[in-house]
Amino acid sequence: MLLGTIGGILFALGMCMALIPEWNAFKPGVVMGIAGAAVLLIMVLVWRRMEQKDPIKVSGKTIGTVLFGIVGALLFGVGMCLTMVWSRMILGIVIGIAGIVLLLCLIPLTKGLK
């Protein structure tokens, strides 16, 4: 839990530093974001070891699921940026909802339907 909190804060702060032009901290923000992502990756490895689970097997389905999640998160983020930064409310809402739908589709994709 501690690694997840630290990694999430580092990642979020790094993204803010990189994306808010008033802060003038793009390069340090990228470095901090990468550090946060690394801590989050370590958290996943530690959590899987604590739960005594097998290592993640890299397969076509795993790679496809990760890419699907990345596309969903990017669509959601672009929708938020369009709405809040560039004042394109309708387009931002539509793209944001598309991202939310893709992220919700990850649940049956990973867990399956019963």
Side-chain angles (χ1 to χ4, degrees):
M1 190 163 78
L2 184 64
L3 284 174
T5 303
I6 292 170
I9 289 172
L10 286 175
F11 186 76
L13 186 59
M15 292 301 101
C16 288
M17 289 170 66
L19 297 175
I20 297 177
E22 291 84 11
W23 289 11
N24 293 324
F26 181 78
K27 288 181 182 177
V30 170
V31 171
M32 189 170 293
I34 291 172
V39 171
L40 291 172
L41 181 62
I42 292 169
M43 178 215 47
V44 169
L45 298 173
V46 168
W47 177 77
R48 289 193 69 83
R49 181 161 297 216
M50 284 175 46
E51 295 290 324
Q52 298 173 351
K53 294 189 177 195
D54 294 331
I56 297 172
K57 295 175 185 164
V58 179
S59 66
K61 182 181 179 187
T62 304
I63 293 171
T65 303
V66 168
L67 291 176
F68 194 78
I70 289 171
V71 169
L74 285 174
L75 279 176
F76 184 57
V78 166
M80 287 177 58
C81 286
L82 282 168
T83 302
M84 296 189 303
V85 176
W86 296 311
S87 300
R88 301 288 308 250
M89 186 68 71
I90 302 299
L91 182 62
I93 290 173
V94 169
I95 292 175
I97 289 174
I100 291 171
V101 169
L102 286 180
L103 291 173
L104 286 174
C105 288
L106 281 173
I107 297 169
L109 185 65
T110 57
K111 299 291 182 185
L113 296 173
K114 294 181 182 176

